[in-house]
Amino acid sequence: MSGANEDDLPQGERKTVTDFCYLLDKSKQLFNGLRDLPQYGQKQWQSYFGRTFDVYTKLWKFQQQHRQVLDNRYGLKRWQIGEIASKIGQLYYHYYLRTSETSYLNEAFSFYSAIRQRSYYSQVTKEDRPELVVKKLRYYARFIVVCLLLNKMDVVKDLVKELSDEIEDYTHRFNTEDQLEWNLVLQEVAAFIEADPVMVLNDDNTIVIISNRLSEGSGSALEQGMVVGQLMLADALIIGNCNNQVKFSELTIDMFRMLQALEREPMNLTSQMNKPGLQDPAEKPMKRENPHKYLLYKPTFSQLYTFLAASFKELPANSALLIYLSATGVFPTGRSDYEGPYDFGGVLTNSNRDVVNGDAVHKRNQSNKEMHCLHPGDLYPFTRKPLFIIVDSSNSVAYKNFTNLFGQPLVCLLSPTAYPKALQDHSQRGSLFTLFLNNPLMAFLFISGLSSMRKGLWEKCQDHVRKINRDIAQLLTHSRSIDQAFLQFFGDEFLRLLLTRFIFCSTVLRMHKSFRETRNYPETYPPLPRDELLENLHLQKQILELASILDVRNLYLESTVDEY
C-alpha cells in the first residue's frame, strides 16, 4: 500500500484495498489453472471457465468503481489495469478456441483495443523491468492473432509497425537474448499477411478486405426438389503439419483458411470497442452455432488420436465429423503381396525429432511401416460414425484406398498430388487445393496469372461463381449415378459449400491447359461421376464465361471431352 501507513487508512478504504487484492489473487489463481484443464472434451472445462469469467467480471468492475482509492492507497498503475484487460482478452480468445463461436473474437478485440486506445502499457518503458516490456510485446502478438482471425488487416499492419518499434526499443535498452525470437515473430506475421496471391483494390488503390466465412447469401441454399440427408457437421479436426509453410502462432496458412471455411461471420455483441463490458459467454447466439473445432499444429500421432477419439465420443446423433489434414506426404517403400490400409503410406505426424527436408520421409527398415504417419487404416475405427475427410498432401491418394466397413456415410476429398512447375514455388504460401475450398475465385484468378483486380470486377465474378455453385448443387442432387454418401452430407451448409467448391476446383483444373497430368487433379472416395459432374458441358461453358469476363479464356480448353 502506498501513500499512508496501513493503520492510518479509513476502514472503508482499507476494505477496498483488501477486497481488490483478494480478487486479483483469485483471478490469477484461476487463470493459471486454465492451462491444467484438458484440451479435449467439450464439457469438463465449462464450469471452470465460468468461475474465471465471474471473478474477472467482478475485478474489472471493482477497479472501475474504486479507481481513485486504488490509485492513492494501493498505488495501482495503468499497466496493471492493462494486464487485467489483457487477461480478459485472452479469456475470450480461448473461449473462441473452445467453442468455435466467432462472436467471442469480437469481445477479445474489444478489450485488446481498449488497452491500445487508453495507452495502458505506455508507462512500462519508464520502469527498468524487462519482464514488464515482455508482457507488452506478448499483448501485441496476441492482439495480432485476434485481428488476423477477424480479417482486420489494416489494424494488423499498424500493430506490426508498433510492435517492431517496441522490439527495437526493448532490445536496445536491455540487450536481451530473445531479440531473434521477436524478430522471427515479425517475419512470420509479415509472411502471413502477404500469403494471399491476389489483391482486390478499391478505386483509390486501397486493398479490399475479403472475408471467407459463411455469411447470408454466400452459400448455395437448398432448393425445392433437392433430396438430401439431414446430417449436420458438429465437430472438426483441423490438422497442419506441412514443412516450410507460412505460419503464425501455431496456425499454418492452410489451417487458417480451412477454419474460416467452417465458420459464420461473427455477430457484433453488445460491448463497444471503447467500452469493455463483459459479455456472458453462457448467452448463446441466436443462429445455429458453428461446428466445434480442434486446431492441431504439428501433432504427434498420440495427440491426434486422442483428440480424434474425444471428438468421436462426443459426436451427437445425426451429426458428422470432419477431419482436415494438411500435411507432408509419407510414401511406402517396396511393394507387398497384400495391399491393405497400411500399405499406401499416408501423411506425416510429428515425431518430436528433426524431420528431413523435402516431401518424402526416409524409413529405417523396409519391412516396417512408418510409425510417425497417419495411415488410412488408422481412421477405420472412426468410420463407425459419419466421417468427412479432406486430405491436402503430396500423398493424398493413399486415402483413395478406403473400405467402408460399417456402411456409414463416408467421403474423402483428396488434393492433387503434384502441380505444374509454374505453381510449385507458391507452396510455402499455402496449398492451391485448400485455397479453392476457402476462396474459389481467388484460386481461379491465381492459376489464370492475375495478381490484382478492381473491386467492381471482383464482385461481378463472385456473382458468376455463386451461379456456378448453384448449378453444381442442382447437378449433384439430380445425378442418377452419384454415391448416396455425398447426398447424406449435402444437407449441411458448410459441407455443401465444400463439396460445390471441390467440384468447381476439379472442373477448372481439368480445363486449364497447364494441368495435363492425372496427378494434377483432385480425386474423391467414393468417385464422383465424371460425365454428370466433373466434365459436365454446362459447367465447362459457365467456367469459360468466367474466363471470358477476365480475358483469360485462352488458358482454358474449350472442352475436355476429347482429351481422354
Side-chain angles (χ1 to χ4, degrees):
M1 301 196 187
S2 64
N5 188 304
E6 188 179 346
D7 296 335
D8 297 338
L9 284 179
Q11 190 172 350
E13 292 185 1
R14 187 186 308 156
K15 186 177 185 312
T16 297
V17 172
T18 305
D19 288 351
F20 176 75
C21 290
Y22 169 77
L23 285 171
L24 192 62
D25 288 345
K26 185 72 176 169
S27 69
K28 286 178 181 174
Q29 180 188 335
L30 286 167
F31 191 90
N32 291 337
L34 290 173
R35 63 174 67 103
D36 298 326
L37 293 176
Q39 292 174 291
Y40 50 84
Q42 294 182 44
K43 299 290 176 271
Q44 302 94 316
W45 57 271
Q46 284 180 322
S47 60
Y48 191 95
F49 253 86
R51 289 205 309 279
T52 310
F53 263 107
D54 286 345
V55 170
Y56 271 97
T57 304
K58 289 174 186 167
L59 179 63
W60 185 253
K61 288 177 179 172
F62 193 89
Q63 62 82 22
Q64 285 178 319
Q65 291 162 357
H66 303 283
R67 180 74 57 81
Q68 196 168 358
V69 172
L70 292 171
D71 282 351
N72 295 335
R73 302 304 194 189
Y74 175 79
L76 184 66
K77 293 183 168 62
R78 288 187 67 74
W79 66 261
Q80 290 173 301
I81 301 167
E83 270 297 279
I84 297 168
S86 181
K87 288 282 199 297
I88 294 169
Q90 287 177 66
L91 274 177
Y92 276 121
Y93 173 66
H94 284 287
Y95 212 83
Y96 156 73
L97 290 180
R98 295 267 185 175
T99 64
S100 302
E101 178 46 63
T102 40
S103 301
Y104 297 125
L105 285 172
N106 278 337
E107 298 304 306
F109 178 82
S110 168
F111 275 85
Y112 285 149
S113 285
I115 294 169
R116 184 164 167 246
Q117 287 167 355
R118 299 175 187 180
S119 306
Y120 281 138
Y121 280 123
S122 62
Q123 301 301 309
V124 160
T125 47
K126 292 183 180 175
E127 305 207 19
D128 196 26
R129 292 170 61 188
E131 72 276 12
L132 286 185
V133 182
V134 170
K135 283 178 187 284
K136 185 178 186 178
L137 299 182
R138 285 180 178 160
Y139 149 73
Y140 268 106
R142 292 183 182 114
F143 194 6
I144 287 168
V145 171
V146 167
C147 290
L148 284 172
L149 288 165
L150 286 170
N151 292 308
K152 294 183 184 288
M153 293 305 173
D154 292 346
V155 184
V156 170
K157 286 170 185 171
D158 290 343
L159 291 174
V160 168
K161 187 176 182 310
E162 290 173 26
L163 177 58
S164 178
D165 292 342
E166 294 287 348
I167 291 169
E168 196 174 322
D169 180 64
Y170 165 64
T171 52
H172 179 70
R173 284 176 59 213
F174 296 107
N175 195 24
T176 60
E177 294 177 3
D178 54 357
Q179 180 177 1
L180 285 176
E181 290 172 38
W182 283 110
N183 284 334
L184 183 62
V185 168
L186 287 174
Q187 289 166 22
E188 284 184 347
V189 71
F192 210 90
I193 294 168
E194 292 166 9
D196 280 354
V198 180
M199 285 189 299
V200 183
L201 301 171
N202 286 307
D203 292 337
D204 61 357
N205 283 342
T206 55
I207 296 172
V208 179
I209 306 304
I210 296 160
S211 174
N212 299 304
R213 288 189 171 93
L214 189 65
S215 59
E216 296 298 325
S218 68
S220 51
L222 288 174
E223 296 173 19
Q224 205 167 0
M226 290 185 178
V227 180
V228 295
Q230 302 301 308
L231 289 172
M232 300 296 246
L233 178 60
D235 219 331
L237 268 77
I238 296 178
I239 296 148
N241 194 12
C242 280
N243 293 334
N244 304 323
Q245 195 175 89
V246 167
K247 65 164 275 284
F248 185 63
S249 182
E250 301 213 327
L251 204 60
T252 66
I253 193 71
D254 277 357
M255 292 170 72
F256 177 74
R257 286 172 176 158
M258 184 49 60
L259 78 86
Q260 299 223 349
L262 298 178
E263 291 180 347
R264 287 177 175 75
E265 281 296 339
M267 290 184 295
N268 284 316
L269 300 182
T270 52
S271 64
Q272 301 297 312
M273 264 186 3
N274 58 346
K275 275 190 176 179
L278 281 144
Q279 178 74 18
D280 184 359
E283 290 179 23
K284 290 200 172 172
M286 299 296 286
K287 291 186 200 171
R288 191 194 136 204
E289 295 171 6
N290 292 323
H292 173 263
K293 296 185 298 297
Y294 289 119
L295 305 175
L296 303 180
Y297 173 68
K298 296 201 169 179
T300 62
F301 177 82
S302 301
Q303 288 168 327
L304 196 160
Y305 229 58
T306 303
F307 280 87
L308 187 50
S311 284
F312 180 83
K313 177 175 177 282
E314 296 190 347
L315 198 69
N318 302 316
S319 296
L321 170 63
L322 182 146
I323 303 170
Y324 168 78
L325 296 162
S326 162
T328 300
V330 177
F331 297 91
T333 56
R335 308 298 297 169
S336 59
D337 296 335
Y338 165 71
E339 288 197 334
Y342 287 86
D343 293 317
F344 298 98
V347 299
L348 188 68
T349 54
N350 196 354
S351 60
N352 287 335
R353 60 176 165 79
D354 288 333
V355 176
V356 296
N357 286 329
D359 229 18
V361 175
H362 68 281
K363 289 163 63 65
R364 296 173 306 284
N365 185 326
Q366 289 210 351
S367 64
N368 294 336
K369 309 302 178 197
E370 173 60 53
M371 281 172 53
H372 304 291
C373 169
L374 187 74
H375 298 268
D378 294 324
L379 297 178
Y380 276 27
F382 303 102
T383 61
R384 288 174 169 84
K385 292 181 180 179
L387 195 59
F388 193 98
I389 301 166
I390 301 172
V391 186
D392 195 337
S393 173
S394 55
N395 192 26
S396 60
V397 288
Y399 296 81
K400 195 171 68 169
N401 304 289
F402 247 104
T403 307
N404 191 340
L405 299 174
F406 303 105
Q408 291 292 311
L410 171 65
V411 161
C412 303
L413 306 183
L414 310 171
S415 72
T417 55
Y419 294 101
K421 282 194 166 50
L423 295 175
Q424 286 170 4
D425 295 341
H426 191 269
S427 59
Q428 272 189 299
R429 294 165 69 183
S431 158
L432 176 65
F433 178 66
T434 293
L435 184 60
F436 263 106
L437 298 181
N438 165 265
N439 189 333
L441 178 55
M442 185 172 285
F444 185 85
L445 296 174
F446 172 57
I447 63 168
S448 302
L450 300 169
S451 58
S452 66
M453 166 170 292
R454 292 288 167 196
K455 185 182 178 185
L457 184 56
W458 170 269
E459 288 173 349
K460 181 181 178 181
C461 293
Q462 278 287 41
D463 287 341
H464 197 80
V465 170
R466 279 194 273 274
K467 184 178 186 308
I468 294 173
N469 274 346
R470 287 196 296 273
D471 291 349
I472 290 171
Q474 283 284 356
L475 290 166
L476 189 144
T477 52
H478 290 86
S479 167
R480 296 186 177 183
S481 56
I482 196 165
D483 191 286
Q484 289 298 302
F486 292 101
L487 296 174
Q488 290 286 319
F489 291 117
F490 208 68
D492 179 87
E493 55 193 323
F494 292 104
L495 298 180
R496 183 162 65 248
L497 203 54
L498 289 172
L499 282 167
T500 54
R501 287 172 175 175
F502 175 87
I503 293 167
F504 176 79
C505 169
S506 190
T507 307
V508 165
L509 297 189
R510 285 165 186 272
M511 293 177 69
H512 196 291
K513 290 177 182 175
S514 297
F515 290 74
R516 298 311 336 126
E517 296 181 55
T518 308
R519 60 190 189 140
N520 296 159
Y521 309 138
E523 298 194 54
T524 60
Y525 170 87
L528 280 166
R530 182 180 280 185
D531 292 345
E532 285 184 307
L533 277 171
L534 304 181
E535 294 182 13
N536 180 280
L537 288 173
H538 172 71
L539 278 188
Q540 291 185 351
K541 183 167 172 273
Q542 295 271 39
I543 287 162
L544 286 172
E545 283 178 23
L546 178 62
S548 294
I549 293 170
L550 295 163
D551 201 22
V552 292
R553 188 163 176 149
N554 62 312
L555 299 177
Y556 295 88
L557 298 167
E558 291 295 312
S559 168
T560 61
V561 174
D562 302 327
E563 290 291 307
Y564 295 91

